Amino acid sequence: MVIVTAASFLPLVHPDTAGAAIVPPQNPPANVVPPPGYSGPCGSVAQPNPFCPAGLATIDGDRQAEGVSPMSLPTNFSSLTPQEQIYVLTNLERVDRGLAPVAGLAAPLDALAQAGAATGRDPSFPPYANGGGATYSSTSSIIESMILWMYQDGWGGVNSACTAPGAPLCWAHRDIMLGSYAAPLLMGAGWNPGTVQLLVGGDTVDAPYYTWSNVTPNLPVGVSAPPVPASPGTGNVSSVQLWASGEAMNVSVSLSGGQGVFQLQSGGCNLAAGSSCNVPVLFTPPSVGTFSATLVVHGPNGTQNVPLRGISSHGYRLVASDGGIFSFGDAGFYGSTGSLHLNRPIVGMAKTHDGKGYWLVASDGGIFNYRDATFHGSMGGHPLNAPIVGMAATPDGNGYWEVATDGGIFSFGDAAFYGSRGGQPLNKPIVGMAPSATGRGYWLVASDGGIFTYGDATFHGSAGSLPLNAPIVGMASTSDGGGYWLVATDGGIFDYGDAGFFGSTGGQPLNQPIVAMAATPGGGGYWLAASDGGIFNYGDAAFFGSMGGQPLNQPVVGVASSV
């Protein structure tokens, strides 16, 4: 358990006006948490790195909730001492809110702070202090300590002195970090096993050894350039976010490369510290595929070359258990059962060969067809040994199969029957199926990753004998039938044959479990769909939107590409 003691302070004066966002004495009304589904800078980074150390995504999400732009660490942050890192983070929180930076670190104050860190208490103040404050956290994680002091210091957080809403010492640690003090304001920092800040106002005795002027030359322009999506032959405008952290920045941008498929629609912006702007980028891909260029960002401290990536793909549809359809990209909406009373919930969907129609299948085998998806029959109204869990269509769209949890196969139209697991023992239930490229065979997958092949569907491997962190919930096959992917509820991907691995959410926190996947027509990427409608895209699968964070009448159960 992390301990945050009651903050100690000498008399201080709060600033009279707020800067870029909430500063004392107008503290947040409640502890701050990142917005649901936050995916801003560092939010989608699977592994910490020097530019996105562990916890920085939480700080950025908290700042977004408060109306402050993301935090940009100096480029040499990972090589700084812990004391210097504490100093930098403290000043980034101050400056980005319109407050003056702490002038510098002083060795005698470091010694006092370190004594507090070593003994588990707030440090002593020097006798010459003219106002000041001290904070202590029992964790040696500097970024976690900053989160606790700045964003979890209210009622219900970790501040033991905040005994009730509005109690005098609620937000006291934050007030110290963002307080106004007599000049010169110096700081000491202590680290290991605890983390300590010591701010001392009016310190004319100590000489700082590390000042804000040592930091600012290493501050980069903040840049977030997510992949730009578009359907082939169309144009789409997306945005590159630029922000200034630690100082005001006049930023200009230009393009290098890109074969003319990217066009900047702004030349940059003049940013106050803690503010951001968006630079529109027009992406007009001539065909399906991935395209790249270099975004050249010119800031006060040098030039940054930022990769710019465009993904051109067709779109996708999501289906919910009530049959509600959500269309994205070039996926047309052709109808749904969202407003109908269903005998049984929808469990899956399949598209026609040209993407101009689709079928929905319910757990009783009932089929609902839309646009050019022809009805060829169903198991609705027929007795079943086990419920239906999915379906697949033949390549020409003139037939389809339904599959049950016991591996039973029901074929309609030109979908031939090539065998099933119905009536045979299974270690785990069947959860999905995929057709072969010719339509003269199919694969079934069980929740343990076991694969069963029929017709000309070739076995390329399975996860049946592997220990799984989470059960398998679906599969997709490559366009030539030479491989397939399996997906688990945690978003883990298992690839076999010529199915390439393009990424996964395995090991990352999810708001809701993954329930289905779909591959792009060329097999160069895939989408994963979560039960809340969240979409995760990999390879040449473009992101055109999702239902994540939006209210749903029923959970999402399936996803299919538009073509």
Side-chain angles (χ1 to χ4, degrees):
M1 179 180 68
V2 177
I3 299 172
V4 176
T5 65
S8 62
F9 52 90
L10 296 176
L12 56 91
V13 178
H14 291 302
D16 295 326
T17 59
I22 301 170
V23 296
Q26 297 85 23
N27 280 314
N31 291 313
V32 184
V33 295
Y38 173 76
S39 59
C42 298
S44 59
V45 177
Q47 297 295 328
N49 62 61
F51 298 100
C52 287
L56 189 62
T58 301
I59 287 181
D60 286 344
D62 290 339
R63 286 162 66 103
Q64 178 179 309
E66 285 200 334
V68 185
S69 293
M71 179 182 286
S72 293
L73 300 179
T75 54
N76 63 340
F77 183 80
S78 61
S79 65
L80 299 180
T81 67
Q83 288 75 16
E84 291 166 347
Q85 290 183 355
I86 295 168
Y87 172 76
V88 166
L89 292 171
T90 300
N91 267 347
L92 289 175
E93 292 288 28
R94 290 177 60 87
V95 174
D96 290 351
R97 288 173 168 78
L99 305 176
V102 178
L105 280 171
L109 302 184
D110 281 351
L112 292 173
Q114 187 59 47
T119 58
R121 59 173 176 78
D122 287 335
S124 302
F125 290 95
Y128 44 81
N130 180 13
T135 62
Y136 166 82
S137 168
S138 64
T139 177
S140 61
S141 169
I142 295 170
I143 289 183
E144 182 181 359
S145 296
M146 292 290 165
I147 294 169
L148 300 177
W149 292 330
M150 279 291 298
Y151 303 106
Q152 297 295 309
D153 207 37
W155 170 245
V158 297
N159 183 353
S160 60
C162 183
T163 55
L169 290 179
C170 293
W171 300 105
H173 300 86
R174 180 187 176 106
D175 288 353
I176 287 169
M177 284 185 62
L178 302 182
S180 180
Y181 305 89
L185 173 60
L186 299 183
M187 179 178 172
W191 177 79
N192 198 14
T195 304
V196 170
Q197 295 169 313
L198 174 62
L199 280 74
V200 176
D203 187 350
T204 59
V205 175
D206 298 311
Y209 68 88
Y210 187 72
T211 69
W212 197 233
S213 63
N214 296 122
V215 178
T216 52
N218 297 301
L219 291 175
V221 177
V223 184
S224 178
V228 185
S231 296
T234 66
N236 184 44
V237 176
S238 189
S239 292
V240 172
Q241 184 186 13
L242 306 175
W243 66 89
S245 182
E247 65 175 351
M249 296 182 177
N250 188 7
V251 184
S252 63
V253 294
S254 59
L255 273 179
S256 175
Q259 295 79 47
V261 299
F262 299 94
Q263 289 183 340
L264 292 179
Q265 300 190 318
S266 169
C269 39
N270 196 2
L271 299 170
S275 67
S276 66
C277 70
N278 290 319
V279 173
V281 179
L282 174 63
F283 175 49
T284 310
S287 60
V288 168
T290 58
F291 300 82
S292 62
T294 298
L295 182 71
V296 184
V297 181
H298 309 274
N301 302 316
T303 298
Q304 301 161 228
N305 293 321
V306 179
L308 189 62
R309 184 167 178 252
I311 302 177
S312 174
S313 78
H314 295 287
Y316 46 85
R317 301 179 185 91
L318 303 177
V319 62
S321 63
D322 62 356
I325 293 289
F326 308 95
S327 300
F328 300 93
D330 64 358
F333 175 80
Y334 304 123
S336 78
T337 64
S339 61
L340 303 179
H341 173 75
L342 299 176
N343 293 328
R344 290 290 185 271
I346 299 298
V347 292
M349 71 182 305
K351 65 176 182 65
T352 58
H353 69 288
D354 60 1
K356 302 301 183 183
Y358 45 82
W359 299 272
L360 312 182
V361 63
S363 64
D364 64 354
I367 290 286
F368 303 88
N369 57 300
Y370 298 93
R371 193 67 179 269
D372 67 357
T374 303
F375 180 77
H376 300 290
S378 81
M379 292 304 295
H382 296 278
L384 295 172
N385 293 328
I388 299 298
V389 289
M391 71 176 300
T394 57
D396 62 8
N398 290 324
Y400 45 77
W401 300 273
E402 299 179 7
V403 62
T405 58
D406 65 353
I409 290 289
F410 307 92
S411 50
F412 301 93
D414 67 357
F417 178 79
Y418 298 104
S420 79
R421 296 293 298 180
Q424 301 179 55
L426 291 171
N427 292 329
K428 294 292 182 181
I430 299 297
V431 293
M433 72 179 301
S436 69
T438 64
R440 294 191 293 271
Y442 41 78
W443 296 273
L444 310 183
V445 62
S447 64
D448 63 356
I451 290 287
F452 304 92
T453 60
Y454 299 94
D456 65 358
T458 305
F459 180 79
H460 301 289
S462 81
S465 61
L466 301 177
L468 299 177
N469 294 327
I472 300 298
V473 289
M475 72 177 301
S477 57
T478 58
S479 56
D480 63 1
Y484 43 78
W485 300 271
L486 313 181
V487 63
T489 58
D490 64 355
I493 290 288
F494 304 86
D495 54 291
Y496 301 95
D498 63 2
F501 178 79
F502 304 108
S504 79
T505 63
Q508 300 181 45
L510 297 174
N511 292 330
Q512 296 295 328
I514 299 298
V515 293
M517 74 176 298
T520 57
Y526 42 76
W527 298 276
L528 311 183
S531 64
D532 63 354
I535 286 287
F536 304 88
N537 58 301
Y538 300 95
D540 64 4
F543 178 79
F544 294 104
S546 79
M547 294 304 294
Q550 302 183 53
L552 295 174
N553 292 329
Q554 296 294 328
V556 166
V557 294
V559 60
S561 65
S562 64
V563 175

